[in-house]
Amino acid sequence: MSTTIEPAAATSPDDGPGAGADPVRDAVREVAGRAREAARDLATAPRQQKDGALTALAEALVANTERIIAANTEDLERGERTGLAPNLADRLRLDGPRIAAIAQAVHDIVRLPDPVGEVVRGSTLPNGLQLRQVRVPMGVIGMVYEARPNVTIDAASLALKSGNAAVLRGGSAAESTNTVLVGLIRGALESVGLPAGAVATIDPWGREGVQHLMRARGLVDLLVPRGGAGLIRTVVENSTVPVIETGTGNCHVYVDASADQAMAIEVLMNSKMRRTSVCNAAETLLVHADVAADFLPAALKALDAAGAKIHADPRALESAGQQGIAAEAATEDDWYTEYLAAEIAVRVVENLDEAIAHIRTYSSGHTEAILTSDLRSANRFTAEVDSAVVAVNASTAFTDGAQFGLGAEVGISTQKLHARGPMGLAELTSTKWIVTGDGQTRP
Amino acid sequence: MSTTIEPAAATSPDDGPGAGADPVRDAVREVAGRAREAARDLATAPRQQKDGALTALAEALVANTERIIAANTEDLERGERTGLAPNLADRLRLDGPRIAAIAQAVHDIVRLPDPVGEVVRGSTLPNGLQLRQVRVPMGVIGMVYEARPNVTIDAASLALKSGNAAVLRGGSAAESTNTVLVGLIRGALESVGLPAGAVATIDPWGREGVQHLMRARGLVDLLVPRGGAGLIRTVVENSTVPVIETGTGNCHVYVDASADQAMAIEVLMNSKMRRTSVCNAAETLLVHADVAADFLPAALKALDAAGAKIHADPRALESAGQQGIAAEAATEDDWYTEYLAAEIAVRVVENLDEAIAHIRTYSSGHTEAILTSDLRSANRFTAEVDSAVVAVNASTAFTDGAQFGLGAEVGISTQKLHARGPMGLAELTSTKWIVTGDGQTRP
């Protein structure tokens, strides 16, 4: 009953019988293969060397500001010709201050501790074997994102800091900018004796290239898609490479009967309006029926004054009407919708049970907050709500790697495997067991 | 730029447009949906209640020995009629002592600590927010395995202990046995007030049922395939549900120049011959050229005397010939092959670099052992070999959850995401962050 194992580097599920010649597939796999080779050197590179590359990168970014802006201008002009939306153009744009901020973020990563080599647990077994589980880099991390050149530097820096190689797909909108940035990264690597192939882009092979990246299990160890729900879904459904599903945040703020209502208004407004286009923004307000009469008027007024469009259930609709506040009748779809805008759904619930049931049905598992003074309610909420982050009397806006003290953020995972919630450097690592003996054999 | 999120329970990638009516898909999703409902109760069930169910199960197994054996006999007779191989029939067979051992294993699981609720890390943030990351059950775990009824009890028990619901596919060969076993599990659950739907089988829907289980992302949180490489590959390539890839073990024993050769013989023989059909059995012996003349004769003689078939590179072939030991010339395939039998591939390497390079090329990432007295060699080997378990002067046979002190074993993961190496209860959990404040908002 022997089993022949396909060699990881030579074949993969992507190379089945009848796969035929495919220059794009071959090119992508070659890039990934070189990254895999480079990852071996990175895995044992001392922190000092990795930090040296990052420092060189930060300096190169500032020193090459004009080159970067020139390439960026190319991208923006091409975007204008092809009808790129203004908010996307804004995400794409780099200027002196933005580049300086990106460089500073790289310096900040240098200051973070190196997760590689951490001993997660260990013991000496009864038979004398010394056992330890240590952190090791994941290996090769693929990052697929859209039109945000700062992610190029951010993702590559976090990968390098944690001893990983990175294969990037930044999208065609930022292609000229990313070409320059990747060149600077590779130069910084070589300047400290690390292989340039440790960071590479597959942008030249466009969408087709991403398809092959997703099937390169065995060459690529982890795929992190960052962007809209469509991109993430595509990757999740088609990838044989392990994926971390990030970001979709249909977050809830639930105001319980015993909530401090003034606090609740503050927390609600911060959760909804601090930044509306981020995944941790609240999208639905649930209000306990017992306090609806008092709380809803203040809440709806504040939301309306801040310019938020309101979708309301019948009771909230009535409350809005009484104040002359414009609101639409909420549909089933509204409870599912992540608006990513100055827009919110409002529903009155009978009690905590109903709030929890609503969240269980409609939530994307990101962040849910309860406002309450009742200990038991707080405990039930945190125990029974199954999301990555559950908050009591605090804004949903805190769901963020830097806010949590993780030092950096790769993204916010909404899945349960491997990482959940904000992901920092440790989440870009795996572990291995080291067993040290003196000739022990198993009876 | 709003995003409508499909409700997890009502749709999934399995229900795309044009999916049409599919009674098998609907049946499987209903089973998974009920497991998901049950998982909610399990997530907050106190340890005492879960242990009560397990104890009731262990007692029910012993009390129902005759019923189990009767169903098992049906399976065995059917197997005989349909040409089931003897070794598979042996895996399938249950008798009084085997059932007692399975029941004892359940009692052992009761004694393990409950991983749910463990605080993995926590802190108080500068702004006063209390942050903690706690272990929570994964939710619904699908287990797909072949013809080993003890896995039914084992998998369900480990899932329950860690607060998870389980959906099982045990295969048609053991169908009658597993039907009885699942019935006993459900009875034990109900006897302590836990929902019977927490453990279910999809065996009635055969292979087609597994297809739908694999696509039930959102209903099923984790899939653990246990079995041959073909089964695992099928699941890894087709599942949209996160998978833990287990088991393929093309393990290596490398005898370095400074190895204690008597120790090396003992460790080699234990690694290869203790149990040949398990994933942690050594499949390739690498020998440093400097000691080949001394070591190979003893090693080949011991392997041959133990009945192992030898596939040898030219130098090892010559050594075998000099002793009149039968050996075949090794091909490239042999370096990749996990024999799972009394069979081994032998190669002489020039030095440590070559040993590491060989392992990097051919290993499945399971377990690799070095025999050496040289500290530097040991350190290089443990640093540069990227497998789940790396051993120094110890048998590969120790790669096992119970041996590692994890208390139980769900399988041995050869992937890097989430779990790597032997998996215990903690690997069947996820985490969530609990943020407790007093009205904090983010600037």
Side-chain angles (χ1 to χ4, degrees):
Chain A
M1 228 184 85
S2 77
T3 309
T4 302
I5 300 159
E6 288 78 7
T11 71
S12 92
D14 209 10
D15 296 312
D22 186 332
V24 174
R25 181 195 70 208
D26 293 342
V28 169
R29 291 179 62 77
E30 197 191 325
V31 167
R34 278 202 301 271
R36 192 167 192 71
E37 293 277 330
R40 289 171 176 163
D41 292 340
L42 283 176
T44 53
R47 176 179 171 176
Q48 201 175 18
Q49 192 179 22
K50 295 185 287 187
D51 285 348
L54 292 172
T55 302
L57 171 60
E59 294 170 351
L61 285 167
V62 173
N64 286 268
T65 296
E66 287 186 26
R67 271 186 67 211
I68 297 170
I69 289 178
N72 191 247
T73 304
E74 262 181 57
D75 284 328
L76 288 167
E77 289 175 348
R78 187 174 67 253
E80 227 189 283
R81 287 195 306 274
T82 58
L84 188 67
N87 64 331
L88 291 180
D90 184 64
R91 290 176 148 196
L92 177 48
R93 182 191 333 275
L94 293 177
D95 52 28
R98 285 187 176 188
I99 292 169
I102 291 170
Q104 182 55 47
V106 178
H107 281 300
D108 292 342
I109 289 170
V110 169
R111 283 202 296 274
L112 295 175
D114 188 347
V116 175
E118 174 193 349
V119 178
V120 177
R121 53 182 153 167
S123 63
T124 301
L125 301 180
N127 57 15
L129 283 178
Q130 292 169 46
L131 188 65
R132 53 188 202 284
Q133 187 185 35
V134 299
R135 277 202 193 289
V136 296
M138 197 60 83
V140 178
I141 301 181
M143 310 252 194
V144 182
Y145 49 103
E146 295 167 322
R148 288 168 58 194
N150 57 300
V151 174
T152 302
I153 299 298
D154 190 57
S157 301
L158 291 168
L160 285 175
K161 179 74 183 190
S162 50
N164 294 291
V167 177
L168 309 170
R169 160 60 175 169
S172 49
E175 200 161 341
S176 304
T177 312
N178 284 333
T179 301
V180 172
L181 294 178
V182 172
L184 294 177
I185 296 168
R186 293 165 75 107
L189 284 164
E190 286 181 318
S191 77
V192 298
L194 287 171
V199 177
T201 172
I202 56 160
D203 276 335
W205 297 282
R207 289 216 175 95
E208 213 187 324
V210 182
Q211 294 294 322
H212 292 297
L213 186 70
M214 293 196 293
R215 308 295 292 184
R217 186 181 180 100
L219 287 182
V220 180
D221 296 289
L222 176 66
L223 216 50
V224 184
R226 293 174 68 174
L231 166 69
I232 292 166
R233 189 184 169 98
T234 298
V235 174
V236 161
E237 284 181 31
N238 294 294
S239 183
T240 57
V241 173
V243 181
I244 302 266
E245 186 172 359
T246 61
T248 324
N250 187 24
C251 306
H252 296 75
V253 170
Y254 165 56
V255 179
D256 196 39
S258 68
D260 172 331
Q261 292 188 27
M263 176 195 292
I265 294 286
E266 295 290 318
V267 169
L268 166 67
M269 294 310 294
N270 187 257
S271 300
K272 173 70 254 178
M273 298 300 298
R274 180 183 173 274
R275 286 185 62 192
T276 57
S277 63
V278 293
C279 55
N280 62 27
E283 306 290 7
T284 294
L285 166 66
L286 302 173
V287 182
H288 193 296
D290 290 357
V291 295
D294 292 326
F295 183 75
L296 269 181
L300 296 173
K301 186 168 168 185
L303 287 165
D304 183 60
K309 177 172 179 180
I310 297 165
H311 303 264
D313 81 339
R315 278 183 282 190
L317 205 57
E318 191 184 337
S319 181
Q322 285 165 358
Q323 297 189 83
I325 290 173
E328 265 184 36
T331 65
E332 179 82 348
D333 270 355
D334 283 302
W335 309 135
Y336 286 115
T337 301
E338 184 191 19
Y339 298 106
L340 293 173
E343 209 164 336
I344 191 168
V346 182
R347 185 179 210 177
V348 176
V349 292
E350 288 308 307
N351 48 37
L352 177 61
D353 285 338
E354 217 175 273
I356 291 174
H358 177 106
I359 290 170
R360 278 177 168 169
T361 305
Y362 300 105
S363 162
S364 60
H366 194 292
T367 302
E368 332 296 346
I370 182 173
L371 279 302
T372 186
S373 299
D374 181 62
L375 190 57
R376 206 167 247 151
S377 298
N379 288 342
R380 270 200 64 199
F381 193 83
T382 55
E384 297 179 33
V385 169
D386 188 25
S387 289
V389 180
V390 186
V392 178
N393 297 332
S395 171
T396 61
F398 286 112
T399 298
D400 173 273
Q403 289 293 313
F404 275 24
L406 302 184
E409 190 181 275
V410 185
I412 297 176
S413 165
T414 49
Q415 71 181 38
K416 297 187 181 185
L417 208 71
H418 185 73
R420 197 171 188 211
M423 297 193 289
L425 287 176
E427 283 66 45
L428 294 182
T429 65
S430 181
T431 54
K432 80 182 174 196
W433 293 90
I434 300 176
V435 179
T436 310
D438 194 32
Q440 283 89 341
T441 54
R442 186 174 169 189
Chain B
M1 224 188 84
S2 80
T3 311
T4 301
I5 300 159
E6 290 77 9
T11 71
S12 87
D14 208 14
D15 297 313
D22 186 332
V24 174
R25 181 194 69 206
D26 293 342
V28 169
R29 291 179 61 80
E30 197 191 325
V31 168
R34 279 202 301 272
R36 192 166 193 72
E37 294 277 331
R40 290 171 177 163
D41 291 338
L42 284 176
T44 54
R47 175 179 173 177
Q48 201 175 21
Q49 193 181 20
K50 295 184 287 187
D51 285 348
L54 292 172
T55 303
L57 171 60
E59 292 169 354
L61 285 168
V62 172
N64 286 271
T65 296
E66 286 186 25
R67 271 187 65 211
I68 297 170
I69 290 178
N72 190 246
T73 305
E74 263 180 56
D75 285 328
L76 288 166
E77 287 175 349
R78 189 174 68 253
E80 224 186 289
R81 288 196 306 273
T82 58
L84 188 67
N87 64 331
L88 292 180
D90 184 63
R91 291 175 147 197
L92 176 47
R93 181 190 338 272
L94 293 177
D95 53 30
R98 285 186 176 187
I99 292 169
I102 292 169
Q104 182 55 46
V106 177
H107 281 300
D108 292 342
I109 289 169
V110 169
R111 282 203 295 275
L112 295 175
D114 188 348
V116 174
E118 175 192 349
V119 179
V120 178
R121 53 181 155 167
S123 62
T124 301
L125 301 180
N127 58 14
L129 283 178
Q130 294 170 46
L131 189 64
R132 53 187 204 283
Q133 187 186 34
V134 299
R135 279 204 191 289
V136 297
M138 198 58 85
V140 178
I141 300 181
M143 309 252 194
V144 182
Y145 50 103
E146 295 167 321
R148 288 169 58 194
N150 56 300
V151 174
T152 302
I153 299 297
D154 191 56
S157 302
L158 291 166
L160 286 175
K161 179 74 184 189
S162 51
N164 295 291
V167 177
L168 310 170
R169 160 62 175 168
S172 49
E175 201 162 338
S176 305
T177 312
N178 284 333
T179 302
V180 172
L181 294 178
V182 171
L184 294 178
I185 296 167
R186 294 165 75 108
L189 285 163
E190 286 181 317
S191 77
V192 298
L194 287 171
V199 177
T201 171
I202 56 159
D203 276 335
W205 297 282
R207 286 213 176 97
E208 213 187 323
V210 182
Q211 293 296 322
H212 293 295
L213 186 71
M214 293 197 291
R215 308 295 293 184
R217 188 181 180 99
L219 288 182
V220 180
D221 296 289
L222 176 66
L223 216 50
V224 183
R226 294 173 66 174
L231 166 69
I232 292 166
R233 189 184 169 97
T234 298
V235 174
V236 160
E237 285 180 32
N238 293 292
S239 183
T240 56
V241 173
V243 182
I244 303 264
E245 187 172 358
T246 62
T248 323
N250 186 24
C251 306
H252 296 74
V253 170
Y254 164 57
V255 180
D256 195 39
S258 69
D260 172 330
Q261 292 188 27
M263 179 195 292
I265 294 287
E266 295 290 317
V267 169
L268 166 66
M269 294 310 293
N270 188 256
S271 301
K272 174 69 253 177
M273 298 301 296
R274 180 182 172 274
R275 286 185 61 192
T276 58
S277 64
V278 292
C279 56
N280 62 28
E283 306 290 4
T284 295
L285 166 66
L286 302 172
V287 182
H288 193 296
D290 291 357
V291 294
D294 291 326
F295 183 75
L296 270 182
L300 296 173
K301 185 169 170 183
L303 288 164
D304 183 61
K309 178 172 179 181
I310 297 164
H311 301 265
D313 80 341
R315 277 181 285 188
L317 205 56
E318 190 184 336
S319 181
Q322 285 164 0
Q323 297 191 81
I325 291 173
E328 264 183 35
T331 65
E332 180 83 350
D333 269 355
D334 283 302
W335 309 135
Y336 287 116
T337 302
E338 184 191 21
Y339 298 106
L340 292 174
E343 208 164 335
I344 191 167
V346 182
R347 186 179 210 177
V348 176
V349 292
E350 286 309 305
N351 49 35
L352 178 61
D353 285 338
E354 218 175 272
I356 290 173
H358 179 106
I359 291 171
R360 280 177 167 168
T361 307
Y362 300 105
S363 163
S364 60
H366 195 292
T367 302
E368 332 295 346
I370 181 173
L371 279 302
T372 186
S373 299
D374 181 62
L375 190 58
R376 206 167 250 152
S377 298
N379 287 342
R380 270 201 63 199
F381 194 83
T382 56
E384 297 179 34
V385 169
D386 186 26
S387 289
V389 180
V390 186
V392 179
N393 296 333
S395 170
T396 61
F398 286 112
T399 299
D400 173 273
Q403 288 294 311
F404 275 25
L406 302 184
E409 190 182 275
V410 186
I412 297 176
S413 165
T414 48
Q415 70 182 40
K416 296 187 182 184
L417 208 71
H418 186 74
R420 196 170 189 212
M423 297 192 289
L425 286 176
E427 283 66 44
L428 294 182
T429 66
S430 180
T431 54
K432 79 181 173 197
W433 293 91
I434 300 177
V435 180
T436 310
D438 194 29
Q440 283 89 340
T441 54
R442 184 174 169 188

